[in-house]
Amino acid sequence: MRILVTGGAGFIGSHVLLALNNQGHTTSLIDDFNDFYAPSLKRWNAQNCGSILFEGDIRVKEDVERCFDLHQPEAVIHLAARAGVRPSLTQTQLYVDTNVTGTLNILEAMRSRHIKRLVFASSSSVYGCNKKVPFSESDPILKTISPYAATKVAGEHLCSVYSHLYGMSVVALRFFTVYGPRQRPDLAIHKFTRLINEGREISQFGDGTTRRDYTFIDDIVQGVLQSLSYTKDHSGLEVFNLGESRTVELRELISLIEDSLEIKAKIRKLPMQPGDVPLTYADITKSKELLGYNPQTPIEQGIQAFVSWFHEETKVISN
């Protein structure tokens, strides 16, 4: 199958493309290589994933149209987005333009070419301050507390509309805190590992009791590929959580990184940040039953794998 992955040069996208290529699919990617983090890292990903590259911006309708005309995909995995809660507080228009207008451009390109199969990357952030745990796909989305989360809710609704009006088969995946090799350098696990390894201070927001459902990249890729298969026989929109269904306190996460590095962290304690939620926790019952999703990597094993990659990456950069 010919599959287009938007944002394919990113952390999750590059892993997904490698897995698709290993399955024998013909893949292409669109990415704008913006400076949210070092474009050189994304260019390395793009060069080493074995896919056809189209350099373009999903905010620009003409870029999206040219990409679709050139690669003629039969299915789309839409991962391109401006990510992160905190930057969305100060760059809200950019997040809306990319995550909402960009998603609309992808859906319009699919509609006009009668492409029916879409996997859309949503986020656990849509649950906001949900008091019911674990978070279920059927929970009302009424307590979203960041612009980033709001754009992901809007993306889900756009997918729902297009699936209803134009007979698309769409799976929206709510990712829960993805980590692993090639993780973005701005994310907590990568940032903490780098700073602790350099003997520098890390910032702990809150008292360390906030909890996240951390999901290893291999498990996310498994869910994405299974979602693509699910779109074969199902029309309309289906929403699935992809998480480990286990929560880890921030102070426990720091301790696991310390143990893997064999270095004690220097911690600066700061107040909670606006937009941050106290807890994420995925109910993956639906994903298990309908997708066959079965996460395999506990946080202890995943952190060790990330730190091993980090050490190897540091050697490559230093050489």
Side-chain angles (χ1 to χ4, degrees):
M1 185 188 303
R2 294 187 306 277
I3 303 171
L4 171 66
V5 177
T6 73
F11 164 44
I12 298 174
S14 59
H15 281 276
V16 167
L17 283 166
L18 285 170
L20 290 170
N21 290 331
N22 286 338
Q23 289 187 344
H25 297 286
T26 299
T27 61
S28 56
L29 69 98
I30 180 172
D31 207 293
D32 68 351
F33 299 97
N34 61 65
D35 62 359
F36 183 68
Y37 64 95
S40 59
L41 298 177
K42 289 176 278 191
R43 292 195 181 279
W44 188 94
N45 289 341
Q47 292 165 4
N48 289 277
C49 66
S51 302
I52 303 166
L53 167 64
F54 182 92
E55 189 164 345
D57 189 335
I58 64 168
R59 295 176 297 174
V60 180
K61 185 175 182 179
E62 292 76 14
D63 283 2
V64 173
E65 296 288 333
R66 284 197 297 271
C67 177
F68 273 74
D69 287 340
L70 182 63
H71 299 301
Q72 299 183 353
E74 299 168 279
V76 178
I77 300 175
H78 179 32
L79 303 175
R82 282 285 174 162
V85 166
R86 293 170 194 165
S88 76
L89 302 178
T90 57
Q91 302 179 71
T92 304
Q93 187 64 58
L94 175 61
Y95 275 67
V96 171
D97 291 343
T98 306
N99 299 357
V100 182
T101 303
T103 296
L104 177 62
N105 289 338
I106 296 296
L107 288 166
E108 273 292 289
M110 292 181 64
R111 177 196 61 78
S112 63
R113 292 162 179 80
H114 307 289
I115 301 166
K116 301 296 187 181
R117 298 170 66 180
L118 172 67
V119 177
F120 169 70
S122 187
S123 167
S124 62
S125 297
V126 301
Y127 291 108
C129 292
N130 195 14
K131 295 187 181 302
K132 172 185 163 292
V133 292
F135 302 164
S136 171
E137 296 90 343
S138 61
D139 293 344
I141 304 300
L142 301 174
K143 298 183 182 296
T144 300
I145 61 170
S146 71
Y148 168 67
T151 65
K152 285 301 183 180
V153 173
E156 289 187 11
H157 284 302
L158 281 171
C159 288
S160 177
V161 169
Y162 274 70
S163 68
H164 173 75
L165 292 177
Y166 307 114
M168 293 182 183
S169 178
V170 183
V171 169
L173 299 174
R174 293 174 178 169
F175 295 153
F176 281 71
T177 314
V178 189
Y179 74 101
R182 299 203 299 276
Q183 186 188 38
R184 294 194 339 250
D186 63 295
L187 293 175
I189 290 174
H190 197 154
K191 183 186 294 185
F192 286 173
T193 300
R194 183 179 71 254
L195 293 175
I196 294 170
N197 188 63
E198 294 172 355
R200 297 164 61 193
E201 192 174 64
I202 66 171
S203 295
Q204 174 186 293
F205 294 100
D207 63 2
T209 62
T210 55
R211 291 183 286 159
R212 295 287 180 270
D213 192 338
Y214 294 97
T215 317
F216 193 67
I217 184 62
D218 292 357
D219 295 327
I220 289 291
V221 170
Q222 173 208 143
V224 171
L225 268 56
Q226 288 162 325
S227 299
L228 189 63
S229 298
Y230 184 86
T231 63
K232 287 181 182 177
D233 304 314
H234 296 80
S235 61
L237 172 72
E238 286 279 7
V239 178
F240 294 100
N241 290 335
L242 292 188
E244 294 297 304
S245 200
R246 169 188 170 186
T247 65
V248 178
E249 284 191 345
L250 177 57
R251 57 191 177 188
E252 180 185 355
L253 175 72
I254 294 170
S255 178
L256 289 170
I257 296 172
E258 289 175 325
D259 291 345
S260 293
L261 288 171
E262 298 183 344
I263 302 172
K264 190 68 175 174
K266 300 174 183 177
I267 301 173
R268 181 187 182 196
K269 296 183 180 180
L270 297 169
M272 283 284 289
Q273 293 286 285
D276 284 357
V277 297
L279 168 70
T280 64
Y281 185 8
D283 181 342
I284 57 174
T285 303
K286 181 181 177 182
S287 299
K288 285 185 171 182
E289 290 179 353
L290 297 184
L291 297 180
Y293 175 66
N294 185 27
Q296 297 291 307
T297 311
I299 188 72
E300 295 83 0
Q301 180 181 332
I303 291 295
Q304 289 178 357
F306 175 79
V307 170
S308 294
W309 168 83
F310 174 82
H311 284 314
E312 289 302 313
E313 180 73 3
T314 301
K315 290 178 185 177
V316 170
I317 293 173
S318 63
N319 292 332

